[in-house]
mmCIF file of all heavy atoms in Angstrom:
data_model
loop_
_atom_site.group_PDB
_atom_site.id
_atom_site.type_symbol
_atom_site.label_atom_id
_atom_site.label_comp_id
_atom_site.label_asym_id
_atom_site.label_seq_id
_atom_site.Cartn_x
_atom_site.Cartn_y
_atom_site.Cartn_z
ATOM 1 N N ARG A 8 0.826 -1.202 0.000
ATOM 2 C CA ARG A 8 0.000 0.000 0.000
ATOM 3 C C ARG A 8 0.863 1.255 0.000
ATOM 4 O O ARG A 8 0.507 2.272 -0.605
ATOM 5 C CB ARG A 8 -0.908 -0.014 1.228
ATOM 6 C CG ARG A 8 -2.028 -1.046 1.120
ATOM 7 C CD ARG A 8 -2.867 -1.101 2.375
ATOM 8 N NE ARG A 8 -3.987 -2.020 2.225
ATOM 9 C CZ ARG A 8 -4.737 -2.450 3.232
ATOM 10 N NH1 ARG A 8 -4.476 -2.042 4.468
ATOM 11 N NH2 ARG A 8 -5.734 -3.284 3.021
ATOM 12 N N LEU A 9 2.014 1.182 0.675
ATOM 13 C CA LEU A 9 2.940 2.304 0.662
ATOM 14 C C LEU A 9 3.426 2.565 -0.762
ATOM 15 O O LEU A 9 3.528 3.726 -1.197
ATOM 16 C CB LEU A 9 4.123 2.018 1.587
ATOM 17 C CG LEU A 9 5.185 3.114 1.699
ATOM 18 C CD1 LEU A 9 4.583 4.360 2.326
ATOM 19 C CD2 LEU A 9 6.365 2.619 2.532
ATOM 20 N N ALA A 10 3.726 1.478 -1.490
ATOM 21 C CA ALA A 10 4.143 1.637 -2.882
ATOM 22 C C ALA A 10 3.032 2.272 -3.708
ATOM 23 O O ALA A 10 3.289 3.106 -4.587
ATOM 24 C CB ALA A 10 4.525 0.270 -3.465
ATOM 25 N N THR A 11 1.787 1.894 -3.444
ATOM 26 C CA THR A 11 0.653 2.492 -4.158
ATOM 27 C C THR A 11 0.563 3.982 -3.871
ATOM 28 O O THR A 11 0.348 4.802 -4.781
ATOM 29 C CB THR A 11 -0.658 1.799 -3.740
ATOM 30 O OG1 THR A 11 -0.567 0.409 -4.046
ATOM 31 C CG2 THR A 11 -1.837 2.392 -4.479
ATOM 32 N N TRP A 12 0.737 4.361 -2.598
ATOM 33 C CA TRP A 12 0.680 5.775 -2.243
ATOM 34 C C TRP A 12 1.836 6.554 -2.868
ATOM 35 O O TRP A 12 1.672 7.717 -3.268
ATOM 36 C CB TRP A 12 0.682 5.944 -0.728
ATOM 37 C CG TRP A 12 -0.651 5.647 -0.107
ATOM 38 C CD1 TRP A 12 -0.983 4.566 0.662
ATOM 39 C CD2 TRP A 12 -1.840 6.432 -0.221
ATOM 40 N NE1 TRP A 12 -2.301 4.615 1.033
ATOM 41 C CE2 TRP A 12 -2.863 5.751 0.509
ATOM 42 C CE3 TRP A 12 -2.146 7.621 -0.869
ATOM 43 C CZ2 TRP A 12 -4.155 6.242 0.602
ATOM 44 C CZ3 TRP A 12 -3.445 8.111 -0.776
ATOM 45 C CH2 TRP A 12 -4.433 7.436 -0.050
ATOM 46 N N PHE A 13 3.011 5.921 -2.950
ATOM 47 C CA PHE A 13 4.122 6.570 -3.638
ATOM 48 C C PHE A 13 3.768 6.831 -5.099
ATOM 49 O O PHE A 13 4.072 7.880 -5.663
ATOM 50 C CB PHE A 13 5.383 5.696 -3.568
ATOM 51 C CG PHE A 13 6.198 5.914 -2.329
ATOM 52 C CD1 PHE A 13 6.703 4.842 -1.621
ATOM 53 C CD2 PHE A 13 6.472 7.196 -1.875
ATOM 54 C CE1 PHE A 13 7.454 5.039 -0.471
ATOM 55 C CE2 PHE A 13 7.219 7.407 -0.731
ATOM 56 C CZ PHE A 13 7.715 6.333 -0.025
ATOM 57 N N GLY A 14 3.122 5.837 -5.725
ATOM 58 C CA GLY A 14 2.716 6.002 -7.116
ATOM 59 C C GLY A 14 1.708 7.125 -7.284
ATOM 60 O O GLY A 14 1.821 7.943 -8.211
ATOM 61 N N LEU A 15 0.725 7.167 -6.381
ATOM 62 C CA LEU A 15 -0.269 8.240 -6.455
ATOM 63 C C LEU A 15 0.367 9.602 -6.191
ATOM 64 O O LEU A 15 0.041 10.606 -6.856
ATOM 65 C CB LEU A 15 -1.393 7.979 -5.443
ATOM 66 C CG LEU A 15 -2.284 6.765 -5.730
ATOM 67 C CD1 LEU A 15 -3.246 6.535 -4.570
ATOM 68 C CD2 LEU A 15 -3.057 6.969 -7.032
ATOM 69 N N GLY A 16 1.279 9.636 -5.212
ATOM 70 C CA GLY A 16 1.973 10.890 -4.931
ATOM 71 C C GLY A 16 2.811 11.350 -6.106
ATOM 72 O O GLY A 16 2.844 12.542 -6.447
ATOM 73 N N GLY A 17 3.500 10.388 -6.743
ATOM 74 C CA GLY A 17 4.293 10.732 -7.922
ATOM 75 C C GLY A 17 3.434 11.267 -9.050
ATOM 76 O O GLY A 17 3.822 12.210 -9.756
ATOM 77 N N ALA A 18 2.241 10.653 -9.226
ATOM 78 C CA ALA A 18 1.333 11.131 -10.271
ATOM 79 C C ALA A 18 0.852 12.547 -9.969
ATOM 80 O O ALA A 18 0.751 13.388 -10.878
ATOM 81 C CB ALA A 18 0.139 10.179 -10.379
ATOM 82 N N ALA A 19 0.563 12.838 -8.700
ATOM 83 C CA ALA A 19 0.116 14.180 -8.331
ATOM 84 C C ALA A 19 1.207 15.218 -8.564
ATOM 85 O O ALA A 19 0.958 16.318 -9.087
ATOM 86 C CB ALA A 19 -0.317 14.190 -6.860
ATOM 87 N N VAL A 20 2.448 14.866 -8.176
ATOM 88 C CA VAL A 20 3.558 15.797 -8.388
ATOM 89 C C VAL A 20 3.784 16.022 -9.873
ATOM 90 O O VAL A 20 4.045 17.155 -10.331
ATOM 91 C CB VAL A 20 4.832 15.255 -7.704
ATOM 92 C CG1 VAL A 20 6.047 16.088 -8.102
ATOM 93 C CG2 VAL A 20 4.673 15.260 -6.199
ATOM 94 N N THR A 21 3.680 14.953 -10.671
ATOM 95 C CA THR A 21 3.852 15.081 -12.121
ATOM 96 C C THR A 21 2.798 16.001 -12.720
ATOM 97 O O THR A 21 3.097 16.842 -13.577
ATOM 98 C CB THR A 21 3.777 13.691 -12.779
ATOM 99 O OG1 THR A 21 4.801 12.852 -12.230
ATOM 100 C CG2 THR A 21 3.977 13.795 -14.289
ATOM 101 N N ALA A 22 1.542 15.835 -12.272
ATOM 102 C CA ALA A 22 0.470 16.706 -12.767
ATOM 103 C C ALA A 22 0.731 18.160 -12.399
ATOM 104 O O ALA A 22 0.504 19.078 -13.211
ATOM 105 C CB ALA A 22 -0.873 16.247 -12.193
ATOM 106 N N LEU A 23 1.223 18.395 -11.171
ATOM 107 C CA LEU A 23 1.530 19.751 -10.742
ATOM 108 C C LEU A 23 2.651 20.350 -11.582
ATOM 109 O O LEU A 23 2.571 21.512 -12.030
ATOM 110 C CB LEU A 23 1.918 19.750 -9.262
ATOM 111 C CG LEU A 23 2.312 21.106 -8.664
ATOM 112 C CD1 LEU A 23 1.138 22.083 -8.744
ATOM 113 C CD2 LEU A 23 2.765 20.931 -7.217
ATOM 114 N N LEU A 24 3.703 19.563 -11.815
ATOM 115 C CA LEU A 24 4.815 20.053 -12.631
ATOM 116 C C LEU A 24 4.373 20.332 -14.063
ATOM 117 O O LEU A 24 4.837 21.288 -14.705
ATOM 118 C CB LEU A 24 5.955 19.036 -12.606
ATOM 119 C CG LEU A 24 6.694 18.879 -11.271
ATOM 120 C CD1 LEU A 24 7.722 17.759 -11.368
ATOM 121 C CD2 LEU A 24 7.371 20.186 -10.875
ATOM 122 N N PHE A 25 3.490 19.482 -14.584
ATOM 123 C CA PHE A 25 2.974 19.700 -15.931
ATOM 124 C C PHE A 25 2.211 21.029 -16.007
ATOM 125 O O PHE A 25 2.362 21.801 -16.972
ATOM 126 C CB PHE A 25 2.057 18.554 -16.339
ATOM 127 C CG PHE A 25 1.459 18.712 -17.707
ATOM 128 C CD1 PHE A 25 2.187 18.388 -18.839
ATOM 129 C CD2 PHE A 25 0.164 19.204 -17.862
ATOM 130 C CE1 PHE A 25 1.643 18.550 -20.109
ATOM 131 C CE2 PHE A 25 -0.391 19.362 -19.126
ATOM 132 C CZ PHE A 25 0.347 19.029 -20.256
ATOM 133 N N ALA A 26 1.388 21.310 -14.987
ATOM 134 C CA ALA A 26 0.635 22.560 -14.958
ATOM 135 C C ALA A 26 1.576 23.756 -14.895
ATOM 136 O O ALA A 26 1.370 24.784 -15.577
ATOM 137 C CB ALA A 26 -0.318 22.566 -13.774
ATOM 138 N N VAL A 27 2.632 23.645 -14.061
ATOM 139 C CA VAL A 27 3.602 24.731 -13.953
ATOM 140 C C VAL A 27 4.323 24.947 -15.274
ATOM 141 O O VAL A 27 4.512 26.093 -15.750
ATOM 142 C CB VAL A 27 4.604 24.432 -12.821
ATOM 143 C CG1 VAL A 27 5.747 25.453 -12.827
ATOM 144 C CG2 VAL A 27 3.906 24.443 -11.467
ATOM 145 N N ALA A 28 4.728 23.826 -15.910
ATOM 146 C CA ALA A 28 5.434 23.936 -17.182
ATOM 147 C C ALA A 28 4.542 24.537 -18.266
ATOM 148 O O ALA A 28 4.976 25.367 -19.076
ATOM 149 C CB ALA A 28 5.934 22.556 -17.605
ATOM 150 N N PHE A 29 3.278 24.112 -18.296
ATOM 151 C CA PHE A 29 2.356 24.641 -19.297
ATOM 152 C C PHE A 29 2.114 26.143 -19.078
ATOM 153 O O PHE A 29 2.074 26.942 -20.027
ATOM 154 C CB PHE A 29 1.028 23.888 -19.233
ATOM 155 C CG PHE A 29 0.027 24.323 -20.269
ATOM 156 C CD1 PHE A 29 0.177 23.953 -21.591
ATOM 157 C CD2 PHE A 29 -1.046 25.138 -19.914
ATOM 158 C CE1 PHE A 29 -0.741 24.365 -22.559
ATOM 159 C CE2 PHE A 29 -1.964 25.562 -20.862
ATOM 160 C CZ PHE A 29 -1.812 25.161 -22.194
ATOM 161 N N GLY A 30 1.961 26.530 -17.794
ATOM 162 C CA GLY A 30 1.782 27.956 -17.499
ATOM 163 C C GLY A 30 2.985 28.773 -17.911
ATOM 164 O O GLY A 30 2.855 29.892 -18.444
ATOM 165 N N ALA A 31 4.187 28.240 -17.673
ATOM 166 C CA ALA A 31 5.402 28.950 -18.072
ATOM 167 C C ALA A 31 5.499 29.072 -19.580
ATOM 168 O O ALA A 31 5.944 30.094 -20.114
ATOM 169 C CB ALA A 31 6.629 28.221 -17.511
ATOM 170 N N PHE A 32 5.053 28.018 -20.283
ATOM 171 C CA PHE A 32 5.094 28.058 -21.751
ATOM 172 C C PHE A 32 4.125 29.099 -22.291
ATOM 173 O O PHE A 32 4.455 29.870 -23.216
ATOM 174 C CB PHE A 32 4.753 26.667 -22.295
ATOM 175 C CG PHE A 32 4.647 26.624 -23.799
ATOM 176 C CD1 PHE A 32 5.786 26.614 -24.587
ATOM 177 C CD2 PHE A 32 3.400 26.619 -24.422
ATOM 178 C CE1 PHE A 32 5.688 26.595 -25.969
ATOM 179 C CE2 PHE A 32 3.300 26.595 -25.801
ATOM 180 C CZ PHE A 32 4.451 26.573 -26.581
ATOM 181 N N VAL A 33 2.927 29.144 -21.704
ATOM 182 C CA VAL A 33 1.921 30.100 -22.177
ATOM 183 C C VAL A 33 2.370 31.538 -21.932
ATOM 184 O O VAL A 33 2.170 32.435 -22.768
ATOM 185 C CB VAL A 33 0.568 29.812 -21.504
ATOM 186 C CG1 VAL A 33 -0.443 30.937 -21.804
ATOM 187 C CG2 VAL A 33 0.025 28.486 -21.971
ATOM 188 N N THR A 34 2.983 31.792 -20.802
ATOM 189 C CA THR A 34 3.404 33.159 -20.452
ATOM 190 C C THR A 34 4.806 33.480 -20.956
ATOM 191 O O THR A 34 5.353 34.537 -20.635
ATOM 192 C CB THR A 34 3.354 33.339 -18.926
ATOM 193 O OG1 THR A 34 4.206 32.358 -18.309
ATOM 194 C CG2 THR A 34 1.936 33.172 -18.404
ATOM 195 N N ASP A 35 5.394 32.522 -21.702
ATOM 196 C CA ASP A 35 6.726 32.724 -22.290
ATOM 197 C C ASP A 35 7.783 32.998 -21.224
ATOM 198 O O ASP A 35 8.622 33.896 -21.350
ATOM 199 C CB ASP A 35 6.697 33.876 -23.306
ATOM 200 C CG ASP A 35 7.897 33.828 -24.237
ATOM 201 O OD1 ASP A 35 8.484 32.730 -24.387
ATOM 202 O OD2 ASP A 35 8.256 34.866 -24.803
ATOM 203 N N HIS A 36 7.716 32.235 -20.156
ATOM 204 C CA HIS A 36 8.715 32.351 -19.094
ATOM 205 C C HIS A 36 9.585 31.088 -18.965
ATOM 206 O O HIS A 36 10.124 30.795 -17.916
ATOM 207 C CB HIS A 36 8.032 32.616 -17.742
ATOM 208 C CG HIS A 36 7.525 34.001 -17.588
ATOM 209 N ND1 HIS A 36 6.316 34.418 -18.101
ATOM 210 C CD2 HIS A 36 8.095 35.106 -17.006
ATOM 211 C CE1 HIS A 36 6.129 35.698 -17.830
ATOM 212 N NE2 HIS A 36 7.203 36.152 -17.165
ATOM 213 N N THR A 37 9.658 30.331 -20.036
ATOM 214 C CA THR A 37 10.447 29.100 -19.994
ATOM 215 C C THR A 37 11.929 29.432 -19.988
ATOM 216 O O THR A 37 12.402 30.268 -20.753
ATOM 217 C CB THR A 37 10.112 28.221 -21.204
ATOM 218 O OG1 THR A 37 10.322 28.981 -22.394
ATOM 219 C CG2 THR A 37 8.675 27.740 -21.145
ATOM 220 N N LEU A 38 12.655 28.784 -19.107
ATOM 221 C CA LEU A 38 14.100 28.934 -19.014
ATOM 222 C C LEU A 38 14.742 27.549 -19.009
ATOM 223 O O LEU A 38 14.278 26.650 -18.312
ATOM 224 C CB LEU A 38 14.501 29.691 -17.737
ATOM 225 C CG LEU A 38 14.075 31.156 -17.649
ATOM 226 C CD1 LEU A 38 14.403 31.701 -16.258
ATOM 227 C CD2 LEU A 38 14.765 31.979 -18.725
ATOM 228 N N PRO A 39 15.785 27.367 -19.756
ATOM 229 C CA PRO A 39 16.459 26.064 -19.740
ATOM 230 C C PRO A 39 17.088 25.823 -18.368
ATOM 231 O O PRO A 39 17.776 26.696 -17.833
ATOM 232 C CB PRO A 39 17.519 26.195 -20.838
ATOM 233 C CG PRO A 39 17.762 27.670 -20.961
ATOM 234 C CD PRO A 39 16.445 28.328 -20.651
ATOM 235 N N GLY A 40 16.822 24.645 -17.807
ATOM 236 C CA GLY A 40 17.380 24.362 -16.477
ATOM 237 C C GLY A 40 17.729 22.895 -16.311
ATOM 238 O O GLY A 40 16.857 22.031 -16.415
ATOM 239 N N TRP A 41 19.003 22.638 -16.094
ATOM 240 C CA TRP A 41 19.441 21.248 -15.943
ATOM 241 C C TRP A 41 19.143 20.730 -14.541
ATOM 242 O O TRP A 41 18.759 19.578 -14.369
ATOM 243 C CB TRP A 41 20.942 21.185 -16.204
ATOM 244 C CG TRP A 41 21.517 19.813 -15.976
ATOM 245 C CD1 TRP A 41 21.582 18.790 -16.860
ATOM 246 C CD2 TRP A 41 22.108 19.328 -14.765
ATOM 247 N NE1 TRP A 41 22.163 17.686 -16.301
ATOM 248 C CE2 TRP A 41 22.503 17.987 -15.008
ATOM 249 C CE3 TRP A 41 22.332 19.887 -13.505
ATOM 250 C CZ2 TRP A 41 23.112 17.209 -14.029
ATOM 251 C CZ3 TRP A 41 22.940 19.102 -12.543
ATOM 252 C CH2 TRP A 41 23.327 17.790 -12.796
ATOM 253 N N THR A 42 19.284 21.561 -13.508
ATOM 254 C CA THR A 42 19.147 21.108 -12.120
ATOM 255 C C THR A 42 17.749 20.585 -11.832
ATOM 256 O O THR A 42 17.575 19.500 -11.265
ATOM 257 C CB THR A 42 19.484 22.242 -11.145
ATOM 258 O OG1 THR A 42 20.795 22.716 -11.415
ATOM 259 C CG2 THR A 42 19.395 21.756 -9.707
ATOM 260 N N SER A 43 16.738 21.362 -12.238
ATOM 261 C CA SER A 43 15.369 20.935 -11.955
ATOM 262 C C SER A 43 15.027 19.648 -12.676
ATOM 263 O O SER A 43 14.379 18.755 -12.118
ATOM 264 C CB SER A 43 14.395 22.043 -12.355
ATOM 265 O OG SER A 43 14.520 22.338 -13.739
ATOM 266 N N THR A 44 15.478 19.527 -13.919
ATOM 267 C CA THR A 44 15.218 18.301 -14.679
ATOM 268 C C THR A 44 15.888 17.103 -14.022
ATOM 269 O O THR A 44 15.294 16.027 -13.870
ATOM 270 C CB THR A 44 15.722 18.449 -16.117
ATOM 271 O OG1 THR A 44 15.091 19.582 -16.724
ATOM 272 C CG2 THR A 44 15.418 17.199 -16.936
ATOM 273 N N PHE A 45 17.122 17.293 -13.589
ATOM 274 C CA PHE A 45 17.860 16.196 -12.950
ATOM 275 C C PHE A 45 17.185 15.752 -11.658
ATOM 276 O O PHE A 45 17.029 14.548 -11.396
ATOM 277 C CB PHE A 45 19.290 16.644 -12.662
ATOM 278 C CG PHE A 45 20.084 15.660 -11.857
ATOM 279 C CD1 PHE A 45 20.637 14.539 -12.447
ATOM 280 C CD2 PHE A 45 20.262 15.852 -10.492
ATOM 281 C CE1 PHE A 45 21.355 13.622 -11.699
ATOM 282 C CE2 PHE A 45 20.970 14.943 -9.740
ATOM 283 C CZ PHE A 45 21.532 13.819 -10.343
ATOM 284 N N LEU A 46 16.771 16.698 -10.837
ATOM 285 C CA LEU A 46 16.145 16.352 -9.568
ATOM 286 C C LEU A 46 14.837 15.603 -9.772
ATOM 287 O O LEU A 46 14.543 14.632 -9.065
ATOM 288 C CB LEU A 46 15.903 17.621 -8.745
ATOM 289 C CG LEU A 46 17.154 18.315 -8.190
ATOM 290 C CD1 LEU A 46 16.773 19.611 -7.477
ATOM 291 C CD2 LEU A 46 17.900 17.389 -7.236
ATOM 292 N N VAL A 47 14.034 16.046 -10.749
ATOM 293 C CA VAL A 47 12.760 15.376 -11.004
ATOM 294 C C VAL A 47 12.990 13.950 -11.493
ATOM 295 O O VAL A 47 12.368 12.991 -11.001
ATOM 296 C CB VAL A 47 11.922 16.176 -12.019
ATOM 297 C CG1 VAL A 47 10.712 15.370 -12.465
ATOM 298 C CG2 VAL A 47 11.486 17.504 -11.421
ATOM 299 N N VAL A 48 13.881 13.784 -12.427
ATOM 300 C CA VAL A 48 14.149 12.442 -12.974
ATOM 301 C C VAL A 48 14.713 11.529 -11.894
ATOM 302 O O VAL A 48 14.313 10.361 -11.759
ATOM 303 C CB VAL A 48 15.112 12.543 -14.171
ATOM 304 C CG1 VAL A 48 15.550 11.149 -14.612
ATOM 305 C CG2 VAL A 48 14.446 13.279 -15.325
ATOM 306 N N ALA A 49 15.659 12.043 -11.110
ATOM 307 C CA ALA A 49 16.254 11.229 -10.049
ATOM 308 C C ALA A 49 15.223 10.862 -8.992
ATOM 309 O O ALA A 49 15.185 9.721 -8.504
ATOM 310 C CB ALA A 49 17.422 11.977 -9.408
ATOM 311 N N GLY A 50 14.353 11.822 -8.615
ATOM 312 C CA GLY A 50 13.326 11.537 -7.611
ATOM 313 C C GLY A 50 12.345 10.486 -8.067
ATOM 314 O O GLY A 50 12.020 9.545 -7.338
ATOM 315 N N VAL A 51 11.858 10.637 -9.309
ATOM 316 C CA VAL A 51 10.913 9.649 -9.845
ATOM 317 C C VAL A 51 11.573 8.284 -9.961
ATOM 318 O O VAL A 51 10.982 7.251 -9.632
ATOM 319 C CB VAL A 51 10.371 10.117 -11.209
ATOM 320 C CG1 VAL A 51 9.549 9.013 -11.866
ATOM 321 C CG2 VAL A 51 9.525 11.372 -11.042
ATOM 322 N N GLY A 52 12.826 8.258 -10.392
ATOM 323 C CA GLY A 52 13.528 6.974 -10.509
ATOM 324 C C GLY A 52 13.710 6.296 -9.170
ATOM 325 O O GLY A 52 13.558 5.075 -9.056
ATOM 326 N N ALA A 53 14.015 7.077 -8.136
ATOM 327 C CA ALA A 53 14.190 6.499 -6.800
ATOM 328 C C ALA A 53 12.893 5.888 -6.289
ATOM 329 O O ALA A 53 12.882 4.795 -5.708
ATOM 330 C CB ALA A 53 14.696 7.559 -5.831
ATOM 331 N N VAL A 54 11.775 6.606 -6.491
ATOM 332 C CA VAL A 54 10.478 6.082 -6.055
ATOM 333 C C VAL A 54 10.134 4.800 -6.807
ATOM 334 O O VAL A 54 9.640 3.826 -6.223
ATOM 335 C CB VAL A 54 9.378 7.147 -6.258
ATOM 336 C CG1 VAL A 54 8.002 6.542 -6.026
ATOM 337 C CG2 VAL A 54 9.596 8.323 -5.313
#
């Protein structure tokens, strides 16, 4: 059940990040960033 909650939590965080990314794209505030991408990928991989 803990693994299930991790999966649900990961899905919620992904949805939030998608909304943030889409908002940044619409408002033309996108900036290239290696650190944020690395942390997200590493976090999801660890889970």
Side-chain angles (χ1 to χ4, degrees):
R8 288 177 176 167
L9 181 64
T11 301
W12 283 109
F13 273 135
L15 293 174
V20 171
T21 301
L23 178 62
L24 291 175
F25 179 81
V27 172
F29 182 75
F32 175 77
V33 171
T34 58
D35 198 22
H36 285 82
T37 56
L38 294 173
W41 176 86
T42 303
S43 59
T44 303
F45 173 79
L46 290 176
V47 170
V48 172
V51 172
V54 171

